[in-house]
Amino acid sequence: AEIDYRKDHDFCRTIAENSAVLLKNDSQILPLRSTQNLAFIGDFVEHPRIQGRGSAHVYSETADNLWDFVRKSNQISYAQGYDSTGTEIDWDLIKEAKQIAEKAEIAVIFAGLLEEEEQEGFDRKHMKLPENQTKLILEIASVQPDIVIVLYNGSPVEMPWIDRVKGVLEMYLPGEA
């Protein structure tokens, strides 16, 4: 069979776009505008969690990340905020994230569950986001009132910060594009 990877990749992007669910949109904070000064915060900006583990893992020809699309924009700054391979709080990463969030019109925090927290063969013992991500969100909320959370997860999560943010976009595990 002949495979057209580009066509399939574009189709995957359309599916991901159509699968996103807007969970909260106070003050019509979304959609974002290209003229806004934005802070993109979170390791998932560069290293998104796009799929599950075990039998849910699929090897794709390419996998996009958001930072590759927006890094040349003068309107968007980026801070890692947390390490997506663990749960430990890194105060240096949080400090950097707070600095760019404070200067932005809107802080967009990309958060979600770690791969090892969601896979077949065991049940999760809680519904919390990793501690480093929850702490980051609360710290950003202390300096920036206009926050959008973009979630990457394959199962429900608690949102103890829901009253401190204006927007929540659920991406689930959006796949390669």
Side-chain angles (χ1 to χ4, degrees):
E2 243 182 77
I3 299 171
D4 184 343
Y5 287 107
R6 184 75 254 155
K7 180 180 174 188
D8 291 346
H9 192 75
D10 292 342
F11 180 64
C12 288
R13 178 174 292 111
T14 300
I15 291 170
E17 290 169 355
N18 290 327
S19 298
V21 177
L22 184 60
L23 299 178
K24 184 175 183 178
N25 195 22
D26 288 356
S27 304
Q28 299 299 303
I29 196 164
L30 294 171
L32 300 172
R33 293 179 306 284
S34 61
T35 56
Q36 291 174 302
N37 178 13
L38 305 173
F40 279 14
I41 300 169
D43 201 11
F44 285 150
V45 174
E46 285 192 281
H47 307 103
R49 179 144 178 264
I50 62 170
Q51 61 185 330
R53 283 179 73 168
S55 63
H57 185 81
V58 176
Y59 295 98
S60 59
E61 179 76 10
T62 57
D64 294 339
N65 72 65
L66 183 58
W67 191 236
D68 285 345
F69 289 101
V70 300
R71 76 173 66 229
K72 293 183 174 130
S73 170
N74 293 332
Q75 299 297 112
I76 300 173
S77 54
Y78 167 71
Q80 182 180 351
Y82 61 85
D83 179 353
S84 64
T85 63
T87 62
E88 191 171 318
I89 295 169
D90 185 324
W91 287 105
D92 290 333
L93 292 178
I94 289 177
K95 180 181 176 184
E96 177 191 18
K98 284 175 76 172
Q99 288 172 347
I100 71 159
E102 204 168 17
K103 296 174 188 170
E105 290 177 60
I106 298 174
V108 184
I109 303 172
F110 297 77
L113 296 173
L114 307 180
E115 276 190 1
E116 58 270 10
E117 293 179 311
E118 293 185 292
Q119 68 181 33
E120 59 197 324
F122 70 90
D123 293 328
R124 291 172 54 209
K125 298 192 181 342
H126 60 79
M127 292 177 49
K128 298 176 183 176
L129 285 175
E131 184 180 357
N132 56 357
Q133 295 180 36
T134 297
K135 188 64 172 173
L136 171 70
I137 293 167
L138 294 173
E139 287 292 318
I140 297 300
S142 73
V143 299
Q144 174 57 261
D146 296 319
I147 299 173
V148 173
I149 305 295
V150 179
L151 290 172
Y152 292 95
N153 48 294
S155 55
V157 296
E158 293 176 1
M159 297 183 215
W161 36 259
I162 193 69
D163 293 334
R164 311 269 317 265
V165 305
K166 289 189 177 176
V168 179
L169 181 64
E170 174 63 78
M171 291 304 301
Y172 300 106
L173 301 176
E176 69 178 66

